[in-house]
Amino acid sequence: DSGVTQTPKHLITATGQRVTLRCSPRSGDLSVYWYQQSLDQGLQFLIQYYNGEERAKGNILERFSAQQFPDLHSELNLSSLELGDSALYFCASSYGSGGYEQYFGPGTRLTVT
Amino acid sequence: ILNVEQSPQSLHVQEGDSTNFTCSFPSSNFYALHWYRWETAKSPEALFVMTLNGDEKKKGRISATLNTKEGYSYLYIKGSQPEDSATYLCASTGGQNFVFGPGTRLSVLP
């Protein structure tokens, strides 16, 4: 158990819908990272927040957005969902940024039908 | 955008064998190199983070080295055990991005 929690564990929704994935980092960690793992692809970095501020941005679609709240939990919002958004979404946390070990949550499996 | 490569793609070794894999990354704009161990149906587990050229890290039977000038890192496993079977991922951070390699899938046969 890494200490990072993600909810929900599974999510099934229809195309065009909007969902919110939630992540609570390990106690004391200030950074939260979001990653996507699609069926035929490796891990893709989406976005990083550090202490409430966006720190780095990867291959995140405009339909996706994220935020980190004052209590340091983070939410990833996915809107206008398409079939291709079906994937495993991981959240990870670390104390600092970049050069610190990242601890991964169990992931949220999103299925868009 | 960084391009991180790993070799070999997969590897089968006998229990007790020692083995190593390679991670190649662009040496320009480098900040840190991460290694992860990823078992099927689980989440990636951090093994090492290295930032300095010449860094060597060790955790039990697993160790890693880093060459930032030529853009590669080696992961070594000494005396492989069946429980070492997993996918080993490296990720390079540089600038505003984190890029993972495709992984090396290791199978240790008893």
Side-chain angles (χ1 to χ4, degrees), chain B residues 13-74:
Chain B
V13 301
Q14 290 294 134
E15 183 175 355
D17 286 351
S18 294
T19 187
N20 64 85
F21 337 123
T22 305
C23 172
S24 301
F25 55 89
S27 54
S28 61
N29 206 25
F30 170 83
Y31 185 75
L33 193 285
H34 301 244
W35 278 102
Y36 296 89
R37 181 173 177 276
W38 195 359
E39 291 183 69
T40 303
K42 294 188 177 180
S43 303
E45 173 195 348
L47 289 174
F48 306 111
V49 180
M50 295 179 288
T51 56
L52 299 175
N53 185 44
D55 254 355
E56 291 188 29
K57 296 255 175 126
K58 186 174 180 182
K59 190 181 285 189
R61 294 179 291 100
I62 305 178
S63 60
T65 61
L66 178 67
N67 183 323
T68 61
K69 293 183 178 178
E70 295 181 42
Y72 65 84
S73 175
Y74 293 136

Side-chain angles (χ1 to χ4, degrees), chain A residues 33 35 37 43 45 48 55-58 90 97-102 104-106, chain B residues 31-32 34 36 38 42-44 46-49 51 59 89 93 96-98 100:
Chain A
Y33 308 78
Y35 297 96
Q37 189 205 10
L43 274 175
F45 167 66
Q48 178 206 355
R55 177 61 65 96
K57 208 166 188 175
F90 284 108
S97 181
Y100 291 81
E101 285 189 357
Q102 294 183 25
F104 278 72
Chain B
Y31 185 75
H34 301 244
Y36 296 89
W38 195 359
K42 294 188 177 180
S43 303
L47 289 174
F48 306 111
V49 180
T51 56
K59 190 181 285 189
L89 287 176
T93 69
Q96 291 272 307
N97 216 339
F98 297 79
F100 282 82

